């Protein structure tokens, strides 16, 4: 793939598309491609997370043995896995295992933060998108809280 192909691929990832073509060029140049054999883990639950991954080909099953709040799921091409690791130190909430021969693009936190420093307009768009998501999550929590408060024996 050419750098232009890599940029076009990253533009199709919803969480990254808002960054803009110039910022994505930096990510495309600085990221690395990885091949993962079927049945192999991309990462394991509880590991320190210093990067996010975009699935290029194949699929991964995400499973948490310890956290019952993390729903088991299968993700495929164009999915950004571990996006929180791009912004802050965290641990993997689940194990990602390749369901078939798969490839990913690895974007490190260090690269992502450097890109944001160089493209403050991209950082503002990201901040605005995160604000919307946090507000939506807060509204969902409020609905659950109201529902639980209304159940008998929950007070």
């Amino acid at each position: 793939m050419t750098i232009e192909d890599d940029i076009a691929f990253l533009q199709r990832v919803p969480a990254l598309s808002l960054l803009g073509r110039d910022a994505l060029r930096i990510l495309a140049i600085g990221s690395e491609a990885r091949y993962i054999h079927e049945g192999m883990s991309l990462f394991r639950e509880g590991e320190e997370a210093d990067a996010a991954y975009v699935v290029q080909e194949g699929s991964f099953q995400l499973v948490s043995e310890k956290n019952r709040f993390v729903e088991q799921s299968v993700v495929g091409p164009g999915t950004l896995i571990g996006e929180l690791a791009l912004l802050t130190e965290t641990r993997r909430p689940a194990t990602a295992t390749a369901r078939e021969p798969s490839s990913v693009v690895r974007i490190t936190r260090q690269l992502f933060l450097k890109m944001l420093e160089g493209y403050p307009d991209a950082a503002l768009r990201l901040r605005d998108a995160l604000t919307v998501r946090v507000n939506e999550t807060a509204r969902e929590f409020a609905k659950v809280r109201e529902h639980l408060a209304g159940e008998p024996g929950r007070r």
Side-chain angles (χ1 to χ4, degrees):
M1 287 176 53
T2 68
I3 196 71
E4 293 304 317
D5 293 333
D6 292 344
I7 294 167
F9 171 70
L10 293 175
Q11 281 181 310
R12 292 190 298 273
V13 178
L16 298 177
S17 64
L18 59 93
L19 298 174
R21 187 170 181 77
D22 291 337
L24 291 178
R25 177 179 299 282
I26 300 301
L27 295 182
I29 291 170
S31 63
E32 67 179 88
R34 288 196 174 171
Y35 177 82
I36 311 297
H37 293 280
E38 179 179 356
M40 299 298 291
S41 293
L42 177 62
F43 53 76
R44 303 198 65 66
E45 182 175 5
E47 289 178 347
E48 288 185 25
D50 67 344
Y53 299 88
V54 182
V55 180
Q56 277 186 308
E57 295 178 342
S59 61
F60 290 85
Q61 182 168 16
L62 303 174
V63 177
S64 175
E65 298 295 327
K66 298 175 186 168
N67 189 344
R68 63 185 177 100
F69 297 107
V70 175
E71 193 172 311
Q72 179 176 323
S73 61
V74 174
V75 297
T79 304
L80 179 63
I81 305 173
E83 66 186 295
L84 188 57
L86 293 174
L87 299 171
T88 189
E89 292 182 18
T90 186
R91 294 197 172 272
R92 302 287 181 197
T95 297
T97 305
R99 298 181 61 214
E100 58 195 299
S102 302
S103 62
V104 296
V105 174
R106 182 175 187 267
I107 303 170
T108 66
R109 178 183 319 115
Q110 181 181 10
L111 172 64
F112 193 79
L113 294 176
K114 287 268 188 214
M115 177 277 299
L116 290 178
E117 286 177 13
Y119 292 91
D121 54 325
L124 290 173
R125 288 192 297 274
L126 179 62
R127 182 206 60 197
D128 292 346
L130 289 173
T131 299
V132 168
R133 286 177 59 186
V134 167
N135 287 334
E136 288 172 356
T137 301
R139 281 192 294 276
E140 290 299 316
F141 279 141
K143 287 179 189 177
V144 169
R145 190 176 315 117
E146 288 174 17
H147 175 74
L148 292 174
E151 288 184 11
R154 286 281 188 176
R155 294 178 194 229

